[in-house]
Amino acid sequence: MATKTLTITEEAYERLKSHKRKGESFTDTVLRLTEGNQDVMRGFGMVADDEGFAEAAGRTRDELEDAFDERRKRREQTQS
């Protein structure tokens, strides 16, 4: 396996070191942290256009409002 030597700042080294697991080499750490698709914005907003999602969110909101109203009424009854 070929190797490369990298120069990084102390801050970068400390950050990388903080992610290093027991028994893991720096190479293992870099590979683990960079594997797969880690684009956190990927898929953002995909559900926004789904009518089923909007309907389910609306039902959930209504159910929560009803539950809060019911709890509020019970609390008011116990305080009177």
Side-chain angles (χ1 to χ4, degrees):
M1 173 195 307
T3 61
K4 298 283 184 182
T5 302
L6 303 174
T7 302
I8 59 175
T9 65
E10 282 290 324
E11 180 182 4
Y13 172 80
E14 291 301 325
R15 286 187 188 189
L16 182 60
K17 184 179 171 185
S18 74
H19 289 280
K20 194 170 172 287
R21 296 177 178 165
K22 185 177 181 176
E24 188 175 54
S25 68
F26 279 102
T27 295
D28 294 337
T29 303
V30 169
L31 291 173
R32 177 176 50 81
L33 293 174
T34 58
E35 71 185 353
N37 184 359
Q38 296 187 7
D39 181 4
V40 296
M41 297 303 287
R42 183 173 182 236
F44 183 74
M46 287 177 62
V47 183
D49 295 332
D50 184 356
E51 290 179 30
F53 174 79
E55 183 180 328
R59 280 194 313 270
T60 301
R61 183 188 60 242
D62 293 343
E63 290 169 3
L64 285 172
E65 287 175 354
D66 292 345
F68 287 136
D69 288 343
E70 183 62 33
R71 289 177 69 187
R72 190 177 304 115
K73 287 177 188 173
R74 281 186 293 188
R75 187 182 70 224
E76 289 170 356
Q77 290 172 352
T78 59
Q79 291 176 348
S80 0

